Amino acid sequence: MVTRPAIFKWRQTQPGLILCAVRWYLRYSLSLRDVEELLEERGLNVDHTTVWRWVQCYGPEAPIYSSAIPDSKKEGTLRHRCRHRPVQYLNNILEQDHRAIKRRVNAKQGFRGFQAAQRTIQGYEAVHMIRKGQIRWVAGDDLLRQIQFIDNLFDLAA
């Protein structure tokens, strides 16, 4: 009998299917109902609210600016005089990087709660970083390696 990681305890669905649904939602411009339909086509009858709960629970986290900038200053990556400028045209490179994430948020028609928004956007950011090849030993164009990397985060055998 194969034991599942403790993080998936009390889940009736296989961990690989849960992570696949979360990855689809965070990677592509799909609504929760779209992911529900894709899973239903594959023989798994799951409600869209369950997919939403999975995203909140299993979405990978990415650092946000409020903590990333001071941490980078402590590491010495950024100078101590460096500051975040929240004016869009002054941060064009940053804003261009977030364009794909903004498109996904707009396609989902926003969020109802702050915690849900924070967790989901962190998941978008993390998956976007993986897709762009910003993770060591995972190329941006190697989809299978990206899937293996996410599975390894949750201690799943590939």
Side-chain angles (χ1 to χ4, degrees):
M1 180 175 180
V2 177
T3 60
R4 57 176 55 201
I7 192 169
F8 293 103
K9 188 174 182 180
W10 308 114
R11 301 285 182 190
Q12 287 80 27
T13 309
Q14 291 296 319
L17 292 173
I18 292 173
L19 291 180
C20 184
V22 170
R23 193 174 55 249
W24 284 343
Y25 181 77
L26 296 175
R27 170 70 170 82
Y28 304 105
S29 293
L30 299 172
S31 70
L32 292 168
R33 293 182 192 271
D34 292 336
V35 175
E36 175 187 3
E37 286 180 21
L38 287 170
L39 292 172
E40 191 172 330
E41 287 177 6
R42 283 150 182 83
L44 183 63
N45 191 8
V46 175
D47 191 49
H48 65 278
T49 55
T50 303
V51 176
W52 179 81
R53 287 186 194 108
W54 290 345
V55 170
Q56 298 304 304
C57 188
Y58 302 112
E61 295 183 33
I64 54 176
Y65 294 126
S66 59
S67 62
I69 292 176
D71 291 346
S72 297
K73 287 181 181 180
K74 286 179 187 174
E75 291 174 358
T77 309
L78 290 176
R79 295 181 186 174
H80 289 287
R81 292 178 47 192
C82 182
R83 60 186 172 89
H84 175 69
R85 296 178 291 187
V87 180
Q88 183 174 359
Y89 73 91
L90 294 176
N91 291 317
N92 280 339
I93 295 170
L94 267 167
E95 294 303 323
Q96 287 297 324
D97 189 46
H98 292 301
R99 183 174 49 185
I101 287 140
K102 288 179 180 179
R103 186 174 49 239
R104 286 193 182 87
V105 170
N106 291 337
K108 310 290 195 255
Q109 300 175 351
F111 301 99
R112 291 196 175 131
F114 178 77
Q115 294 299 328
Q118 182 180 19
R119 288 288 306 191
T120 306
I121 290 172
Q122 285 177 343
Y124 288 148
E125 290 283 349
V127 170
H128 189 62
M129 288 172 62
I130 293 169
R131 192 182 89 211
K132 285 175 35 180
Q134 294 179 340
I135 304 298
R136 187 179 292 175
W137 302 300
V138 180
D141 58 349
D142 189 358
L143 182 61
L144 293 178
R145 183 67 184 116
Q146 293 174 9
I147 292 170
Q148 288 173 348
F149 176 77
I150 292 173
D151 287 347
N152 287 338
L153 286 176
F154 290 94
D155 294 329
L156 288 180

